[in-house]
Amino acid sequence: MKKIIYIFIAALLFNITACTDNFEGLNENPYQVTDESLQQDFNNVGAFYPPMLKNLFGHQIEHNLSHDSWVRHLATPTPFVGGINNTTYYIRWNTYWNRIYGQIMSPAAQVTKVAVAEDYPVFVEWAKLIKILGMSRLTAYHGPVIYTKFGEEPATYDSEPVLYNAFFTQLDEIQAVFNANMDYTGLGKFDASYGGNIAQWNKLVNSMRLRLAIRLSKVDPALAKTQGEKALSEPGGLIETNGDNFMVSLYGAVFPPVTISFGWGDTRMSASMESILIGYDDPRISKFFDPATDDTLYPDHPGHPYKGIRNGAELVAKGDRLSYSNISSDFKDVDSRRFFTAAEVKFLKAEAALRGWAGAGTAQENYEAGVNASFEDWGAGGAAAYLADNTSLPIDYDDPKAAGAINDFVTRITNTVAWDEAADNEIKLEKIITQKWINAYTNSIEPWVDHRRTGYPKLPYNYKNDSNADWGVIPADDFLRRQVFLTSQRENNAASVAEATGFLGGPDEIGTRLWWDTGGPNF
């Protein structure tokens, strides 16, 4: 089927007639779509968009055995490559770059040419937005990436300051076109997320601006505040209700973690999820995970039948821990996955309030609204009691399949769920980011950003740390900070990689901090 689709797209591209005369100079509004454009069926451009959106997410080696593990959402029972791999800080897999460039950047460049030629400015900006969605995730891996000079020779990298300024400028351009075409219906048949509703896409634009602004809040507070307050004040609004959530369709495919967990037996609940969700008596646990299939695994919390695996654990045989908690069986029936939710927006606004940004509201009201939105989104009850709990704490972890203290840890979290207005900003930020981390289950790139940026949640370190001079050394009391540049780039684009490494301000290693990961205080 994929081959047929690609042949169809190629045939369409071959038969397209260019017509660029009036794209830049429409008489009444430079962004307004013409009546002639509205008469088209748009198939020549629309077929590009579903595959681009689907490929915002990776699969096993790009996500599950990388940042899903690094940020402690899921863990593997499988000792891949002798138990020395990405999860133990020795890089074996590094392919998200190929997905983003091959399945998003390249087709976006193609469809943009067609959309410009056919005078479809809304499609042009939609492609631009999808590029930002993808590249804002890829830069969270590597730092400098090829973006503003994509398609040029040589392929040169943008520094992170250049990259983020480009994102903000392009969000302005996207918004100008969307605002001028709020009644446009041309995206409808290709848009499984919002049904072609431009107002909804506009909320995503504003929300992305706020997400990126918060990301830069420590390294460039002035730029972050300007962009954050702009997002907060835009008339089009933000993703504020679960009905506005940006969900990416699976387009008939199985939810990838279902295949990894139920099909291959290669992922399970993490020990950190066990520690935090059980310690906080979090009702969302049953929406995230299935109970363990061995009732002898949790003698320390028999009322909560769940068991997780420590990330970076010492593993001997895959079969040892297949009885630990799988992801929820409910995921077998989903047809889309979360990319941006109202709960995340509330937590972003809560942090913005701590930083004194105009229009954010109060930190407490946003924090509590974020938890409520998360419970509603995941279908859990009991949010009021949960938010009132000022005593429960995450629990220590014991791995019953390992002898002695192997794989065990003592929790580093001493902060409760209930808001404390008298607490200092660090305690408040830890509450916000910990809840943001929980809510982002199955979409772990941004929590990985937050953890590096703020140090929260206070997650356990790897038990097994195989980092070495090959890819860089991670201290025993620290975490992996980035993915290295691709070997193919190092070999075939060496001069540009050398320049990009200079942008990093440190070696091309897994312990080098990205621009926004300052290592300094949060306030």
Side-chain angles (χ1 to χ4, degrees), residues 31 52 75 91 108 116 148 203 235 259 278 367 384 392 402 410 437 467:
Y31 304 112
M52 289 193 291
I91 301 304
V116 169
T148 64
K203 290 179 181 180
T259 301
I278 290 176
Y367 170 75
S392 297
V410 174
W437 176 89
S467 65

Side-chain angles (χ1 to χ4, degrees), residues 32-229:
Q32 188 67 44
V33 178
T34 64
D35 291 340
E36 184 177 354
S37 292
L38 292 173
Q39 295 172 5
Q40 308 300 316
D41 61 11
F42 307 114
N43 284 322
N44 56 335
V45 290
F48 282 83
Y49 290 85
M52 289 193 291
L53 288 164
K54 183 179 180 180
N55 280 287
L56 290 169
F57 292 91
H59 207 279
Q60 184 176 28
I61 61 177
E62 299 145 315
H63 282 200
N64 182 253
L65 292 172
S66 294
H67 55 80
D68 276 354
S69 178
W70 298 331
V71 83
R72 314 314 196 211
H73 274 182
L74 294 167
T76 182
T78 309
F80 291 103
V81 202
I84 301 173
N85 53 60
N86 287 28
T87 70
T88 66
Y89 296 166
Y90 188 87
I91 301 304
R92 301 286 188 181
W93 310 292
N94 189 8
T95 62
Y96 191 49
W97 175 285
N98 296 331
R99 182 181 293 270
I100 292 295
Y101 284 106
Q103 305 302 323
I104 295 178
M105 290 295 286
S106 290
Q110 290 178 280
V111 76
T112 297
K113 290 179 182 177
V114 178
V116 169
E118 293 292 326
D119 192 10
Y120 301 156
V122 178
F123 278 96
V124 172
E125 302 307 318
W126 195 23
K128 191 181 294 179
L129 176 57
I130 294 170
K131 288 195 299 181
I132 293 173
L133 299 180
M135 293 301 293
S136 65
R137 291 160 80 87
L138 186 65
T139 184
Y141 279 72
H142 301 286
V145 289
I146 300 164
Y147 186 65
T148 64
K149 302 294 179 63
F150 176 75
E152 299 181 12
E153 291 293 341
T156 57
Y157 289 66
D158 291 316
S159 69
E160 290 173 272
V162 168
L163 179 69
Y164 283 93
N165 274 294
F167 287 159
F168 290 131
T169 297
Q170 291 180 350
L171 288 173
D172 290 340
E173 295 165 355
I174 295 163
Q175 196 157 56
V177 173
F178 283 3
N179 283 339
N181 294 281
M182 297 302 287
D183 295 328
Y184 186 74
T185 60
L187 309 186
K189 64 191 269 189
F190 313 106
D191 176 11
S193 299
Y194 289 135
N197 187 320
I198 302 300
Q200 294 292 88
W201 283 102
N202 216 11
K203 290 179 181 180
L204 177 60
V205 171
N206 293 330
S207 301
M208 277 300 299
R209 189 188 299 276
L210 183 59
R211 176 191 277 180
L212 297 176
I214 286 290
R215 190 183 288 189
L216 304 187
S217 57
K218 287 171 61 176
V219 69
D220 194 338
L223 175 63
K225 187 173 189 289
T226 296
Q227 292 295 330
E229 290 181 346

Side-chain angles (χ1 to χ4, degrees), residues 168-491:
F168 290 131
T169 297
Q170 291 180 350
L171 288 173
D172 290 340
E173 295 165 355
I174 295 163
Q175 196 157 56
V177 173
F178 283 3
N179 283 339
N181 294 281
M182 297 302 287
D183 295 328
Y184 186 74
T185 60
L187 309 186
K189 64 191 269 189
F190 313 106
D191 176 11
S193 299
Y194 289 135
N197 187 320
I198 302 300
Q200 294 292 88
W201 283 102
N202 216 11
K203 290 179 181 180
L204 177 60
V205 171
N206 293 330
S207 301
M208 277 300 299
R209 189 188 299 276
L210 183 59
R211 176 191 277 180
L212 297 176
I214 286 290
R215 190 183 288 189
L216 304 187
S217 57
K218 287 171 61 176
V219 69
D220 194 338
L223 175 63
K225 187 173 189 289
T226 296
Q227 292 295 330
E229 290 181 346
K230 182 173 184 176
L232 291 164
S233 65
E234 279 292 331
L238 300 157
I239 295 171
E240 297 269 18
T241 69
N242 286 320
D244 294 331
N245 289 352
F246 178 48
M247 306 293 290
V248 175
S249 175
L250 298 172
Y251 299 99
V254 174
F255 184 55
V258 166
T259 301
I260 300 167
S261 55
F262 293 101
W264 303 336
D266 283 335
T267 201
R268 289 293 185 268
M269 179 188 203
S270 75
S272 296
M273 278 287 189
E274 177 189 342
S275 169
I276 292 171
L277 296 181
I278 290 176
Y280 284 153
D281 196 18
D282 194 317
R284 289 169 291 187
I285 194 169
S286 65
K287 307 300 179 180
F288 291 178
F289 300 103
D290 281 351
T293 57
D294 178 352
D295 62 9
T296 69
L297 295 176
Y298 38 85
D300 53 332
H301 49 80
H304 296 85
Y306 300 91
K307 197 65 196 176
I309 301 171
R310 183 171 181 176
N311 298 92
E314 183 176 298
L315 303 172
V316 178
K318 177 176 179 175
D320 291 345
R321 293 172 181 79
L322 288 179
S323 58
Y324 288 34
S325 290
N326 215 327
I327 70 168
S328 171
S329 296
D330 292 344
F331 286 109
K332 293 179 180 179
D333 299 322
V334 300
D335 59 8
S336 60
R337 64 186 305 176
R338 294 165 176 82
F339 188 99
F340 214 133
T341 67
E344 182 186 346
V345 169
K346 299 297 185 183
F347 295 132
L348 290 168
K349 290 175 69 176
E351 182 173 349
L354 288 185
R355 299 190 180 282
W357 294 2
T362 71
Q364 179 174 356
E365 70 183 3
N366 281 300
Y367 170 75
E368 293 176 350
V371 172
N372 280 311
S374 179
F375 271 59
E376 178 189 68
D377 185 30
W378 287 102
Y386 181 81
L387 281 166
D389 187 348
N390 62 1
T391 58
S392 297
L393 292 170
I395 62 174
D396 299 336
Y397 171 78
D398 175 71
D399 185 352
K401 295 291 186 177
I406 292 175
N407 298 335
D408 298 350
F409 66 79
V410 174
T411 182
R412 299 168 57 228
I413 299 174
T414 59
N415 208 338
T416 61
V417 171
W419 189 259
D420 179 4
E421 189 57 31
D424 64 26
N425 276 353
E426 282 293 346
I427 290 175
K428 292 175 180 176
L429 182 64
E430 182 181 1
K431 290 178 187 289
I432 293 165
I433 299 300
T434 300
Q435 289 300 319
K436 193 177 175 188
W437 176 89
I438 295 170
N439 176 70
Y441 175 59
T442 70
N443 184 22
S444 58
I445 290 183
E446 207 59 30
W448 183 39
V449 170
D450 286 334
H451 184 247
R452 289 174 287 168
R453 178 177 65 87
T454 69
Y456 301 132
K458 292 180 180 177
L459 299 171
Y461 306 112
N462 262 32
Y463 181 80
K464 191 169 185 282
N465 183 339
D466 293 311
S467 65
N468 61 36
D470 290 351
W471 303 114
V473 175
I474 304 298
D477 61 350
D478 202 356
F479 299 87
L480 181 146
R481 295 284 163 184
R482 64 181 289 270
Q483 268 279 31
V484 295
F485 295 126
L486 266 63
T487 299
S488 59
Q489 282 286 303
R490 291 178 171 194
E491 293 175 349

